Amino acid sequence: GNGGKGGDVILQADENADTLSDYVSRKRFEAPKGRFGSGSNRNGKAGDDLLLLVPPGTLVFEITGGKTPEIVADLSEHGDQIVIARGGRGGFGNAHFTSSVRQSPDFAELGEPGEEKAVKLELKLVADIGIIGFPSVGKSSLIAVVSSARPKIADYPFTTLVPNLGVVNVANRSFVICDVPGLIEGASEGKGLGDQFLKHIERCGVLLHMLDISRGDPAKLAEEYETIRRELRAFSPALTRKKEFVILNKIDLLANDAAEYESALQKKCIKVFASISAATKFGTDDLMKKLLPVALEERKNRQAFDQEQSEKDILPILRPHEQSNKMGAFRIEQNGDRIIVRGKRLEQFTKMTDFGSDGGTQRFRDVLERIGLTKAIKRVSKENTAVFIGGTQVDGYL
């Protein structure tokens, strides 16, 4: 009987997948092979497909040689999928080649090798939650206690020089949280660490605005809050339209009672979402539980971020020999002292031919003669010219 088809490797966007962390430690994935055919004309079982789940918003890039990775899929919605590597077709068993003049064929096809590709996966969004605020208000400390991230923490301005990402796990779900390097007045004009980090805020779904009660009374905190809001507005009005939650940090200095601060800020139209102490972990678990549904809902609703270049209409380059499944669709290339024949179906047929079998080799010659390839090769080849069909050298079998 005939051999079974190999399984495909499929990437699928799933809203229950939150990060790409599953693909950090394991780099190689392979779908099961098809089973061999067996006696009594029994066909082999097809290999099961391998389904790999990724978060919505995953970009898939194919890596080819030293070329720039080329995007092949944007899995932006739940259920979007791409077959990233196809399993090979099962080879025909010898019973397939039985005819009136060939009662007992002594050859069979090999199984077609499955596709093998190197891809890069990239999330379009930097973070679900972005923590903003003045330098040294405790943004990195919060990241450290709610995730496995280990940012640099010290009591001086601009400890954080690059955004730190952490994965927060809550109730078998997770979301990505990011501390954006501290902003100061004039950041939108390049002061302090400049405006480069304001771009990261554009890529965050929800903003967590942290105020540090050790920096002064409620009036001082309200002033700092308005300063940050002005910088966001100056850089991009769209930033001020993002959903924002205000939290107070270091309330251990107030014996964990921040009611007075919360009330005073409320009067200034600044509603406090939560009061915590990152240093003692007071209130941090409850804060993450409150943020989980917010992060997941915003992730579902927000659109693709930071599209720097609009998509251009590119005229397709038609290459029939690469697309057609007909054996006679081929193209001959001359490359120095070798001839390379290209053709999708022809290359597949060559890979599946068992050249260790006289019957298989003769069938190969018959097919090449029938489609006119043998004559075409003779017209352009010279003595000792190497002939390849795809990546298989075949001049010894012509």
Side-chain angles (χ1 to χ4, degrees):
N2 304 326
K5 177 186 176 299
D8 298 332
V9 179
I10 302 171
L11 288 172
Q12 183 179 83
D14 187 280
E15 60 188 10
N16 294 313
D18 301 306
T19 68
L20 294 172
S21 56
D22 290 344
Y23 305 99
V24 174
S25 57
R26 184 180 174 189
K27 303 294 186 184
R28 182 179 176 87
F29 297 86
E30 183 176 354
K33 297 178 172 63
R35 305 291 295 178
F36 293 112
S38 56
S40 302
N41 291 333
R42 288 183 295 179
N43 293 337
K45 181 179 180 295
D48 294 330
D49 293 336
L50 177 62
L51 184 64
L52 304 177
L53 301 180
V54 297
T58 297
L59 298 175
V60 184
F61 297 84
E62 184 174 351
I63 302 172
T64 53
K67 299 180 181 178
T68 303
E70 179 181 352
I71 186 169
V72 294
D74 180 355
L75 306 179
S76 58
E77 302 290 338
H78 174 73
D80 288 352
Q81 68 176 40
I82 179 176
V83 178
I84 196 62
R86 297 186 181 277
R89 179 174 70 80
F92 288 130
N94 64 322
H96 175 84
F97 302 103
T98 302
S99 67
S100 59
V101 296
R102 190 164 50 202
Q103 297 295 321
S104 300
D106 62 348
F107 64 94
E109 279 187 326
L110 302 176
E112 179 190 17
E115 291 181 325
E116 184 170 336
K117 293 182 180 177
V119 299
K120 181 177 76 169
L121 305 180
E122 184 177 290
L123 268 179
K124 290 193 292 187
L125 298 170
V126 169
D128 299 302
I129 305 287
I131 313 175
I132 62 173
F134 267 68
S136 295
V137 297
K139 300 185 294 296
S140 297
S141 297
L142 179 59
I143 285 275
V145 300
V146 300
S147 73
S148 58
R150 292 294 173 261
K152 181 180 179 182
I153 300 173
D155 189 18
Y156 57 86
F158 306 127
T159 305
T160 301
L161 299 179
V162 295
N164 294 298
L165 288 173
V167 178
V168 179
N169 295 297
V170 180
N172 295 320
R173 296 300 303 272
S174 63
F175 61 90
V176 179
I177 192 167
C178 166
D179 66 325
V180 179
L183 302 174
I184 65 171
E185 188 171 6
S188 61
E189 301 171 356
K191 294 183 180 179
L193 293 177
D195 63 355
Q196 57 182 308
F197 298 113
L198 285 164
K199 296 178 182 179
H200 288 284
I201 301 176
E202 287 184 305
R203 301 175 183 178
C204 297
V206 179
L207 302 182
L208 199 62
H209 196 146
M210 181 177 285
L211 301 175
D212 174 6
I213 61 98
S214 72
R215 297 176 69 91
D217 57 22
K220 173 66 173 175
L221 298 189
E223 180 183 336
E224 290 191 349
Y225 172 81
E226 293 300 336
T227 297
I228 297 295
R229 295 293 294 179
R230 284 196 299 272
E231 293 305 317
L232 297 181
R233 191 177 301 110
F235 180 76
S236 172
L239 295 183
T240 60
R241 294 194 290 269
K242 285 183 177 290
K243 186 174 290 187
E244 179 191 70
F245 297 101
V246 176
I247 63 171
L248 297 180
N249 188 29
K250 303 184 183 178
I251 67 168
D252 54 299
L253 301 178
L254 303 174
N256 293 336
D257 184 4
E260 182 180 343
Y261 273 74
E262 293 175 3
S263 177
L265 289 170
Q266 178 74 43
K267 293 177 181 178
K268 295 181 180 292
C269 299
I270 302 174
K271 183 179 180 180
V272 177
F273 182 69
S275 297
I276 67 166
S277 170
T280 65
K281 300 184 181 181
F282 177 84
T284 56
D285 288 344
D286 288 340
L287 174 61
M288 295 302 109
K289 291 177 182 177
K290 291 169 68 176
L291 287 176
L292 175 64
V294 176
L296 297 182
E297 182 64 24
E298 284 301 307
R299 181 191 297 173
K300 184 182 298 184
N301 293 337
R302 64 184 178 255
Q303 297 179 345
F305 77 98
D306 194 25
Q307 187 171 353
E308 296 179 355
Q309 295 181 344
S310 60
E311 295 182 1
K312 298 180 180 179
D313 292 329
I314 301 177
L315 291 175
I317 300 173
L318 300 178
R319 297 186 174 93
H321 64 284
E322 293 180 3
Q323 303 300 329
S324 175
N325 284 318
K326 294 183 178 180
M327 192 75 77
F330 59 82
R331 177 164 59 87
I332 297 178
E333 301 174 356
Q334 286 187 288
N335 185 359
D337 59 350
R338 65 172 56 185
I339 291 173
I340 303 176
V341 183
R342 305 287 187 187
K344 181 179 178 180
R345 178 66 183 97
L346 183 62
E347 291 181 43
Q348 178 194 51
F349 167 69
T350 304
K351 289 178 182 177
M352 299 176 72
T353 296
D354 181 4
F355 290 106
S357 161
D358 291 340
T361 303
Q362 185 58 51
R363 175 178 176 246
F364 175 77
R365 295 192 187 105
D366 292 343
V367 170
L368 266 58
E369 185 74 34
R370 187 173 67 248
I371 64 176
L373 180 56
T374 304
K375 289 183 179 179
I377 291 174
K378 288 180 178 179
R379 283 197 299 267
V380 296
S381 65
K382 299 177 182 178
E383 189 177 356
N384 298 324
T385 300
V387 180
F388 289 79
I389 296 180
T392 307
Q393 187 168 358
V394 297
D395 47 273
Y397 307 113
L398 297 177

